Amino acid sequence: MSQTPRHVAIIMDGNGRWAEARGLGRLEGHHAGAASVRTITTRARERGVESLTLFAFSTENWNRPKGEVRGLWRLLIDFLKTELPTLIKNQIGLRLLGDPDAIPPLALRTLNSVINRSQKNTRMTLNLALNYGAKDEILQAMRRLSEAGEPFDEAHLEKRLYTAGQAPVDLLIRTGGEHRLSNFLLWQSAYAELLFSDILWPDFDAAAFDDALTEYAKRERRFGRTGAQIRGEL
Ligand code: FPP
């Protein structure tokens, strides 16, 4: 079995606390978080990860103060515009995981433009989870199956998820010291190895990502079988 996870998903938590600890505003924490997005995307690609999914905005994040919500979308637009050449140079294709309907129009236009311009890139897929909630995703997939009269089985359902065609999540990382899944990729992470790090997202650097991959490589993934079976002793 490969030691490199094919699909790594990250709940990027801790931007606010990182900023508060420095006497800065929360948005400055998100700006520092965007720099980590850049670093970790580059590192994941160097390490041969096929899919990197980053939880950037949940369906619950709309409840944050209006200024923070506006600032986050503005940051995303600037990030996408700045990063497009790097994505293309590094053969990274962008994909949106989430319901596009409530995404602010300018952010959606920018996203779609970067998605279209990077869609031929196959070295790595960068999934941005924006306005994403796993329960919504599963329910929507079930509705579509029902409308199309398709069978309710795993293969058909997976084709209707935002991650259609991608490997299931092998490694799910949450930074910032919380131990929750927060409605993130519940179906895709059914057999994921979970790694909770106390590091705040803006401090999560390439070395921390490498440490996470080292920890992943030590885990014995049994998928319901025994350790002896996995080691080939039975
Ligand atoms: C959680 O930290 C982080 C978010 C809700 C937003 C994530 C956004 C970024 C990493 C920056 C922009 C992203 C891209 C893709 C450019 P928190 O605010 O909940 O931190 P706290 O728990 O310390 O308050």
Side-chain angles (χ1 to χ4, degrees), residues 12-18 26 30 33-34 37 55-56 61 64 68 72 75-76 79 128 201:
M12 309 181 287
D13 203 2
N15 295 347
R17 278 165 287 160
W18 183 92
R26 295 181 57 83
H30 295 315
V37 168
F55 203 2
N61 285 149
R64 293 193 172 205
E68 183 172 346
L72 272 169
L75 176 60
L76 178 80
F79 176 87
L128 283 187
W201 176 248

Side-chain angles (χ1 to χ4, degrees), residues 27-200:
L27 272 175
E28 288 174 272
H30 295 315
H31 273 91
S36 291
V37 168
R38 206 167 288 127
T39 305
I40 299 309
T41 302
T42 306
R43 193 64 182 150
R45 180 212 176 264
E46 285 167 1
R47 295 296 308 263
V49 170
E50 285 172 30
S51 294
L52 175 68
T53 302
L54 301 177
F55 203 2
F57 196 92
S58 73
T59 44
E60 290 76 31
N61 285 149
W62 293 107
N63 299 322
R64 293 193 172 205
K66 278 199 173 59
E68 183 172 346
V69 170
R70 259 198 309 271
L72 272 169
W73 288 108
R74 181 73 251 167
L75 176 60
L76 178 80
I77 292 166
D78 292 345
F79 176 87
L80 291 171
K81 285 184 176 162
T82 316
E83 293 307 306
L84 177 64
T86 313
L87 293 180
I88 290 179
K89 188 176 100 206
N90 290 327
Q91 279 289 301
I92 298 171
L94 186 76
R95 210 150 137 180
L96 165 67
L97 308 192
D99 178 359
D101 286 348
I103 293 182
L106 180 58
L108 190 59
R109 273 205 301 280
T110 313
L111 263 169
N112 283 333
S113 155
V114 176
I115 289 168
N116 288 334
R117 290 159 79 179
S118 68
Q119 68 177 348
K120 290 202 197 79
N121 296 341
T122 51
R123 176 84 183 248
M124 186 175 89
T125 300
L126 172 62
N127 297 309
L128 283 187
L130 292 162
N131 194 30
Y132 175 84
K135 287 184 177 180
D136 276 353
E137 178 190 29
I138 296 166
L139 284 172
Q140 180 187 277
M142 287 167 72
R143 265 184 233 112
R144 290 203 183 142
L145 284 186
S146 163
E147 281 160 18
E150 289 176 5
F152 276 59
D153 59 29
E154 287 193 23
H156 283 86
L157 191 128
E158 280 168 3
K159 283 194 190 121
R160 301 287 181 172
L161 297 177
Y162 296 124
T163 46
Q166 299 188 52
V169 175
D170 294 310
L171 173 63
L172 174 65
I173 301 170
R174 181 174 189 137
T175 65
E178 310 281 358
H179 300 177
R180 280 192 292 279
L181 294 179
S182 296
N183 199 17
F184 186 47
L185 298 177
L186 297 180
W187 180 282
Q188 298 87 336
S189 299
Y191 270 100
E193 293 298 322
L194 307 181
L195 194 148
F196 298 101
S197 166
D198 287 335
I199 301 174
L200 303 175

Side-chain angles (χ1 to χ4, degrees), residues 193-219:
E193 293 298 322
L194 307 181
L195 194 148
F196 298 101
S197 166
D198 287 335
I199 301 174
L200 303 175
W201 176 248
D203 291 327
F204 198 83
D205 57 12
F209 186 77
D210 284 349
D211 287 347
L213 295 202
T214 303
E215 166 65 24
Y216 170 82
K218 289 187 205 151
R219 304 266 180 103

